[in-house]
Amino acid sequence: MTITEPTIEGPKTEGPLELESGREAIAERPLGVLTRPQGGRGWRDWLSTVDHKKIGIMYGVSAMVFFVVGGIEALLIRLQLAVPNGGVLSADVYNQVFTMHGVTMVFLFIMPLAAAFANYLIPLQIGARDVAFPRLNALSYWVWLSGAIFLNSSWIVGGGGADCGWFCYSPNSGVTFSPSHGVDFYAIGLLIAGIASLVSAINLIVTCLNMRAPGMDLFRMPVMTWMLLITQFLLLFALPVITVALFLLMFDRLFDASFFNPDMGADPLLWQHLFWIFGHPEVYIIILPAFGVVSEVIPTFSRKPIFGYTFMVFSGIAIGFMGWGVWAHHMFVSGIGPISVAAFSLSTMFIAVPTGVKVLNWLATMWGGQIRFTTAMLFAVGTVAMFTIGGLSGVTHALAPADTQQTDTYYIVAHFHYVIFGGGVLGLMGGLYYWWPKIFGFMLNERRGKVNFWLMLIGFNLTFGPMHILGLQGMSRRIDTYSSGFGFEFWNMVATIGSFIIAVSVLVLFHNIWKSKREAADLPPPGPDPWDARSLEWMVPSPVPEHNFDEVPTVESLDEWWHRKYSFDDNGKVVQIATAEEAAQDGSAKGVHLPAPSFWPLVLAVGLPLIGYGLIFNLWLCVPGGLLVGMGIFAWALEPVDDPDATHDHDGHDDDDDDHDDDGPDDAELAAAPAAPGDSTAGAPAAPGDKQGGE
Amino acid sequence: MTTETSAPATSDADTTVAAPATPGDSNAPGEDTAHGPSTGISNTKLAMWLFLGSECLLFGGLISTYLLYKTRRGPDNLAIPTDVFDIPFTSISSFVLLMSSLTMVLALAALTRGDNHGARVWLLATSMLGGVFIGGQVYEFTSFLREGVGFTNNPASSAFYALTGFHGVHVSLGIVMLMSLFVASWQGKLRQEHSETVEVVGLYWHFVDVVWIFIFTVIYLVPA
C-alpha cells in the first residue's frame, strides 16, 4: 500500500513538514536516546507507527504466521492419530503439541486476527481518523507480539511447550506433574498477551464511544463495529479474571505458594472456576467478530439491509451478558453439585436463543435478496451453516446427563472446532476476502478464492465431522494414541486426511495472495467500493489513505454509504443517485493533522518478556526488563503527544485548527498511559505542549 | 467534575464546552460539529473508568480466592494470618489511607482554582499518606513473617499475601504517579489547565482506597 508521508503542518500551509510556527518538526529526545521518529519509509516506519491501519495489518500478518505454527502442530496431532499406536510423537511431546496448538490458535491466531479487523475497521466504520489512543494501540500490538514470541520461546529455552492442555487444569499444571518450564512460559506469556488485550480493549471502547463522526449514533454503527465493541467489553472484564488465575499459577510454580496444589489443602476447582469465568466469555470473544463479518458480508452480497438491525445488536449484547452466566457448563463433571448443574444447564440453553436470533436474521437478510456468491459470501454462508452445527452440538452439552458422557471425548473436540473453526475462522476468512481490496488496493482472485473456500469447507468437515462419531464411540481426547480394535481406525484416518485438505486450502490462500498481487498490475484498480457495500470504510479510496477521511462525514442514517449512492423513487423503487466513484472521497486532502509516531511502545514491550525470563530463570534479569519498562513509560509520558501542534494549545488562536483537523487523539492522549494496566504512572506529568512550552 | 478554567485556549476547556451534555448516550446529528468526545466524557477519563471497571474483577478474583482459603491451614497445620492479626494497627494505617483520599480531593480542588502551590502541597501530602500506609504494610508483613506466617505456609497465607500484596503494588504505583505529578508541578509544568490529569490520577487513587475498604472488611473485620 502506498504510505503517505504524515503531514503535520497546520492546515493552511502547503509545504510538507513545515510548521506554522516555523519550528523544526521533530527534535525531541525525551531521554536523549531515541529521536522522535518521523514516520519515514521502510521497516523503521512500521516499528514506530501509530497508524491504526498499519497496526491492524501487523496484527493480521503476525496472526497468520501463528496460524501456520498452530496448523503445523495440528497436523502433527493428526499424523500421530492417523493410525492406531502411532509413533510420530512421544506421549510427552504429544501433550506439549496439543497444548500449544490450542493456546496458539486461540491467543495467537484468532484473537489477534480479530484484533486486526477491529483495529483496521472500527475507526473507519465510525468515521474517525484514528483510535482514541494511537500510541497505546501500538503498545497493544508490540506487547502482544512480545508475549507471543515469549510463549513460543519455551520450545527452545524452556524445555518444551506447556503440556497441561490449553485450560491447564490443576494439578496437572503443578510442578509435580509438569516439571519443565513450559507451564511457566504459558502463565507469563499469557499474562503479557493479556496486558495487550486489556489495553486494546480500553482503547477501542473509548474509540467506539467517543470518536464517532457527527451523526454517527450508537445505533447507526455497523453491526461489525457493534460486535467488536461487545467483544472489547468482554475482554475488559474477562481478562482480569484470567490474570488473577495466571498470577496465582505463577506464584504456585515459581514461589512455592499453595493456591492450586491439593496436597497443600488447596482446591483445584478454584482454577477451573477462574479459568472458565474467563474462558467462556472467551468463546464469544472469538465468535462475535466473525458474527460481525457475516453481518457485513451477507447484506452487501444480498443487496438488502440487514434484517432486524436492532435485534441483531441487542442479541449481540444479550450474548455478551449471558456469556458470563454459563461458565460452569465446562465443569459439569467436577462435582459442583446438582443445583449449580441445573442452573448452568438452563442458562446454557438460554444463550442459544440470542444466537438463534442472529442465525435467523442472516437467513432473513438473504431471503429474497439478489445474492452474489462471491468468495466472501461463500465464507459467510459457510460460517452460518457450520456455526449452527456447532451451536446445536453445544446445546447437547447443556443437558448435563448427556454432557457427562461427552466430557473429555472427541465429541467435545468436534463441538468446539465447529464453533471456533467453523464459526470464527471461516467468518474471519470471509472478512479477509471482503476487506482485502480495501486494505491492500487489489482484489484477491475469486476463482482461486472459491477453490480456497471449498477445500477449506470440505477439509474442515472431514476433519471434525468424524470426531462427533469418535467421541460418541468413546474415544478420549488428549490421549496420545489408541489401540486397534475399538473401531476408531476409519474415522481417525478420515480426520487426518481432512486436516491435510485444510492445510492445502491454506496454501491456496497464500498462493492466491501472492498471485493476485502479481496480477494486480494488469488489472484495473478496485476503486473505493468494489462490492457495492454499505458502510463508511467504502467511501474512502482503496487502499485507505493515511488520514482515512478527507473530510469527516456527517452521518444521517444506518448504512450511510449505501444511502449516499441510492435513493427511492416515488414508487418506492431503489434508484441510483450517484456512482461509488462520484460519492467517494478521493483521498487528496493535504495537511491533515495526524498523531506522531513513537518508539516507546516498542521499548516498553521489549522489557516485559525480559521480566518474564527473569522470573523463570534469574531474578536479576528483571532489572533490565523493569528499567526498560519504566524508561518506556516515562519517556512516553514526557514525549509531547503530538509534537508540533502541541505548542499551539497555548497559543490561543489555533483552536479552530484543533477542532477541525484532528479528531482528538492528541487531546485524547493527554494522559494516555494511566490506562495501561499496572504501569499507570505514565501520562501523569505529561500534558501536550509542556515539554516544549516550558523550554 | 468539570474543569472551571479561565483559559479558553486549552484543549481541555474545548472538550468541556463542545461536548453534548448527555453523557453515556450518542449525540444528536449535527450537534457535535466541534468533534468533542461523543459521550461528553474525555477520552482519558473514560479510559480510566474502563480500566477501573476491569480492576474490580481483578480484585474480585483475589478477594474470592481469599474468602475460599481464609481458614485453610494446610496439611502441616501451620499458622494462618488470622492468628496474628493486629487489628488496631491495621485500622490506623487504613485510616491513614482513607485520609489520603481527602488530600487527593484537596489537591484537585487547589489546582482547579489555579492554586499551584496548594496543589503541590496536597499532592505531596497524599503520596506521603500513601507512603505511610505502604510502610505499615511492610511492617505488618515482616512482623507476620517473624511470627511464622510465611507466604508458602498454606492456602490461607498465600491468599492473604497475594491479595494485600496486589493492593500494596497498586498503592505504590499510585504513589509513583502522584510523585510524578508533584515533580511536574514543581517544574511548573502542571498548571490549572491540566487539572483533568490530576483528576484521572485521583480516580485511580480513590479506587485503590475504596478497594481497601472492601479488603480490610473482608480480611480483618469479618470473623472467620
Side-chain angles (χ1 to χ4, degrees):
Chain A
M1 60 186 286
T2 52
I3 293 155
T4 38
E5 196 84 19
T7 44
I8 37 183
E9 74 272 29
K12 276 129 202 155
T13 43
E14 284 298 313
L17 291 175
E18 190 184 319
L19 301 176
E20 278 179 302
S21 58
R23 286 173 54 96
E24 229 177 278
I26 297 142
E28 291 296 325
R29 283 170 176 259
L31 289 186
V33 185
L34 296 172
T35 312
R36 186 69 186 256
Q38 306 212 11
R41 293 176 191 81
W43 59 272
R44 278 171 70 94
D45 178 48
W46 289 83
L47 291 184
S48 65
T49 186
V50 295
D51 179 354
H52 72 99
K53 298 179 289 297
K54 285 183 186 160
I55 292 169
I57 291 170
M58 289 196 289
Y59 261 119
V61 171
S62 324
M64 293 313 282
V65 169
F66 285 107
F67 185 36
V68 173
V69 173
I72 291 170
E73 284 156 356
L75 294 179
L76 285 173
I77 296 172
R78 284 318 317 166
L79 276 179
Q80 166 73 9
L81 294 178
V83 292
N85 304 312
V88 179
L89 307 172
S90 70
D92 184 33
V93 175
Y94 181 83
N95 289 346
Q96 297 170 26
V97 168
F98 78 67
T99 301
M100 292 301 282
H101 163 71
V103 174
T104 303
M105 286 305 195
V106 169
F107 294 98
L108 311 186
F109 165 54
I110 304 187
M111 284 173 71
L113 190 58
F117 283 111
N119 266 292
Y120 202 98
L121 292 174
I122 286 179
L124 285 169
Q125 290 200 327
I126 61 173
R129 288 241 161 84
D130 208 316
V131 293
F133 304 100
R135 286 186 300 178
L136 279 186
N137 205 20
L139 178 74
S140 301
Y141 171 70
W142 292 115
V143 169
W144 168 78
L145 186 66
S146 70
I149 293 172
F150 177 85
L151 183 59
N152 273 284
S153 71
S154 75
W155 289 114
I156 302 161
V157 297
D163 54 0
C164 48
W166 88 280
F167 49 63
C168 217
Y169 274 4
S170 152
N172 283 345
S173 59
V175 188
T176 320
F177 297 103
S178 185
S180 84
H181 279 302
V183 180
D184 301 326
F185 278 84
Y186 165 94
I188 297 171
L190 293 188
L191 277 174
I192 295 174
I195 294 173
S197 301
L198 179 63
V199 173
S200 164
I202 293 173
N203 198 350
L204 292 174
I205 292 173
V206 175
T207 305
C208 271
L209 295 183
N210 258 2
M211 309 280 290
R212 283 168 282 137
M216 179 56 84
D217 293 1
L218 282 175
F219 282 91
R220 287 178 186 166
M221 298 198 306
V223 180
M224 176 74 173
T225 300
W226 258 110
M227 294 306 124
L228 291 170
L229 175 62
I230 296 165
T231 305
Q232 306 311 316
F233 269 107
L234 288 173
L235 281 167
L236 181 74
F237 294 118
L239 285 164
V241 183
I242 188 76
T243 301
V244 170
L246 292 168
F247 262 116
L248 301 186
L249 176 62
M250 186 184 88
F251 292 156
D252 258 18
R253 290 183 55 93
L254 297 178
F255 304 114
D256 259 348
S258 37
F259 287 107
F260 304 120
N261 183 0
D263 289 341
M264 290 295 290
D267 196 336
L269 269 191
L270 175 65
W271 170 271
Q272 296 193 19
H273 279 291
L274 290 176
F275 187 88
W276 288 117
I277 289 174
F278 154 81
H280 201 82
E282 170 71 20
V283 175
Y284 298 103
I285 290 165
I286 289 171
I287 197 68
L288 285 178
F291 282 1
V293 172
V294 171
S295 306
E296 297 295 300
V297 170
I298 285 184
T300 297
F301 294 115
S302 305
R303 300 185 62 79
K304 279 177 66 188
I306 187 101
F307 181 86
Y309 169 85
T310 324
F311 245 88
M312 279 308 247
V313 171
F314 274 105
S315 61
I317 295 172
I319 291 174
F321 273 104
M322 293 164 77
W324 292 94
V326 295
W327 80 86
H329 68 215
H330 297 268
M331 302 163 55
F332 279 156
V333 293
S334 299
I336 53 174
I339 294 177
S340 305
V341 168
F344 281 100
S345 282
L346 283 174
S347 62
T348 305
M349 287 179 221
F350 273 123
I351 202 168
V353 174
T355 319
V357 165
K358 281 186 173 297
V359 171
L360 290 176
N361 278 15
W362 289 320
L363 296 183
T365 305
M366 283 191 278
W367 185 269
Q370 297 167 278
I371 298 179
R372 287 177 288 164
F373 277 110
T374 59
T375 309
M377 182 66 167
L378 287 173
F379 270 110
V381 175
T383 305
V384 176
M386 294 304 110
F387 179 80
T388 305
I389 297 175
L392 289 177
S393 63
V395 176
T396 67
H397 303 319
L399 308 167
D403 182 73
T404 315
Q405 298 297 311
Q406 295 152 1
T407 294
D408 268 342
T409 70
Y410 265 85
Y411 191 86
I412 301 284
V413 181
H415 158 70
F416 70 71
H417 278 94
Y418 266 84
V419 172
I420 290 174
F421 194 126
V425 180
L426 289 186
L428 294 178
M429 287 291 154
L432 217 54
Y433 275 90
Y434 182 62
W435 278 292
W436 193 274
K438 178 52 60 189
I439 298 172
F440 296 104
F442 65 92
M443 313 275 287
L444 289 178
N445 180 285
E446 280 290 309
R447 202 171 55 81
R448 287 189 293 267
K450 285 173 185 167
V451 173
N452 177 190
F453 167 75
W454 285 111
L455 279 177
M456 190 172 271
L457 188 78
I458 292 168
F460 163 74
N461 278 293
L462 282 180
T463 309
F464 300 108
M467 290 186 187
H468 290 110
I469 302 168
L470 286 169
L472 294 178
Q473 283 178 330
M475 181 170 165
S476 294
R477 67 192 282 210
R478 301 190 165 168
I479 307 290
D480 64 305
T481 189
Y482 53 92
S483 311
S484 53
F486 290 110
F488 297 160
E489 290 93 335
F490 176 71
W491 290 119
N492 268 304
M493 182 50 88
V494 171
T496 300
I497 292 169
S499 68
F500 277 87
I501 296 177
I502 298 177
V504 171
S505 78
V506 175
L507 291 179
V508 171
L509 171 69
F510 291 147
H511 171 72
N512 194 7
I513 293 170
W514 176 75
K515 197 82 186 289
S516 301
K517 170 77 180 162
R518 287 177 46 132
E519 290 167 356
D522 306 325
L523 294 170
D529 183 21
W531 309 118
D532 199 7
R534 316 181 71 86
S535 46
L536 284 181
E537 73 269 29
W538 303 101
M539 76 177 287
V540 295
S542 314
V544 182
E546 181 150 19
H547 58 271
N548 289 3
F549 295 93
D550 291 346
E551 189 185 332
V552 171
T554 298
V555 178
E556 278 157 13
S557 59
L558 177 66
D559 289 337
E560 171 71 16
W561 172 234
W562 189 85
H563 287 286
R564 290 183 181 215
K565 294 182 292 182
Y566 297 97
S567 185
F568 300 97
D569 66 10
D570 296 339
N571 303 324
K573 270 184 72 99
V574 173
V575 286
Q576 188 165 29
I577 51 173
T579 64
E581 277 70 20
E582 288 164 4
Q585 299 181 345
D586 59 8
S588 62
K590 288 273 183 292
V592 177
H593 181 104
L594 290 171
S598 172
F599 278 120
W600 298 114
L602 180 56
V603 171
L604 215 166
V606 171
L608 289 172
L610 278 183
I611 296 177
Y613 290 120
L615 286 170
I616 294 175
F617 296 114
N618 184 340
L619 285 175
W620 285 108
L621 257 180
C622 294
V623 175
L627 283 176
L628 270 181
V629 171
M631 182 178 82
I633 291 172
F634 271 94
W636 174 324
L638 295 171
E639 178 180 67
V641 171
D642 243 1
D643 39 333
D645 257 46
T647 44
H648 295 185
D649 280 352
H650 305 291
D651 290 352
H653 48 69
D654 280 325
D655 295 342
D656 282 355
D657 300 350
D658 278 340
D659 281 346
H660 296 307
D661 289 288
D662 61 59
D663 272 301
D666 51 346
D667 178 18
E669 279 224 348
L670 219 161
D679 48 35
S680 331
T681 37
D690 279 340
K691 184 78 177 174
Q692 294 179 332
E695 283 151 35
Chain B
M1 201 179 298
T2 47
T3 49
E4 293 173 34
T5 162
S6 56
T10 67
S11 53
D12 279 7
D14 284 347
T15 304
T16 319
V17 172
T22 48
D25 203 353
S26 56
N27 41 285
E31 220 174 63
D32 80 345
T33 43
H35 284 227
S38 314
T39 56
I41 307 169
S42 81
N43 289 356
T44 322
K45 207 189 291 181
L46 186 57
M48 180 52 89
W49 276 115
L50 290 167
F51 174 62
L52 296 181
S54 181
E55 290 273 272
C56 288
L57 275 281
L58 183 92
F59 282 103
L62 290 165
I63 290 174
S64 313
T65 304
Y66 180 78
L67 283 175
L68 179 67
Y69 285 163
K70 67 178 186 176
T71 56
R72 298 205 185 186
R73 292 169 181 277
D76 302 329
N77 204 23
L78 295 175
I80 59 175
T82 326
D83 300 340
V84 292
F85 278 162
D86 182 354
I87 291 176
F89 176 82
T90 317
S91 305
I92 292 168
S93 71
S94 304
F95 179 75
V96 169
L97 187 66
L98 292 190
M99 282 306 104
S100 74
S101 265
L102 176 65
T103 53
M104 186 73 231
V105 170
L106 292 173
L108 176 61
L111 191 65
T112 310
R113 65 171 183 269
D115 176 4
N116 288 341
H117 177 75
R120 208 144 52 228
V121 168
W122 291 122
L123 281 173
L124 188 64
T126 311
S127 41
M128 284 174 71
L129 289 173
V132 169
F133 175 82
I134 291 296
Q137 195 171 36
V138 170
Y139 169 79
E140 187 187 37
F141 279 15
T142 45
S143 71
F144 281 14
L145 271 175
R146 266 201 310 274
E147 293 176 68
V149 181
F151 180 58
T152 58
N153 267 17
N154 43 37
S157 54
S158 291
F160 169 81
Y161 285 112
L163 174 54
T164 51
F166 259 92
H167 181 264
V169 168
H170 275 79
V171 176
S172 306
L173 287 173
I175 294 172
V176 173
M177 281 193 272
L178 290 168
M179 287 311 290
S180 306
L181 287 178
F182 175 76
V183 171
S185 172
W186 205 31
Q187 295 174 335
K189 294 177 184 175
L190 187 74
R191 292 183 299 271
Q192 194 175 25
E193 60 264 32
H194 307 129
S195 57
E196 194 188 73
T197 308
V198 177
E199 190 186 345
V200 169
V201 173
L203 281 178
Y204 175 85
W205 189 259
H206 297 314
F207 171 81
V208 172
D209 282 5
V210 170
V211 166
W212 181 253
I213 296 178
F214 282 96
I215 296 176
F216 180 65
T217 311
V218 164
I219 294 186
Y220 295 89
L221 301 185
V222 176

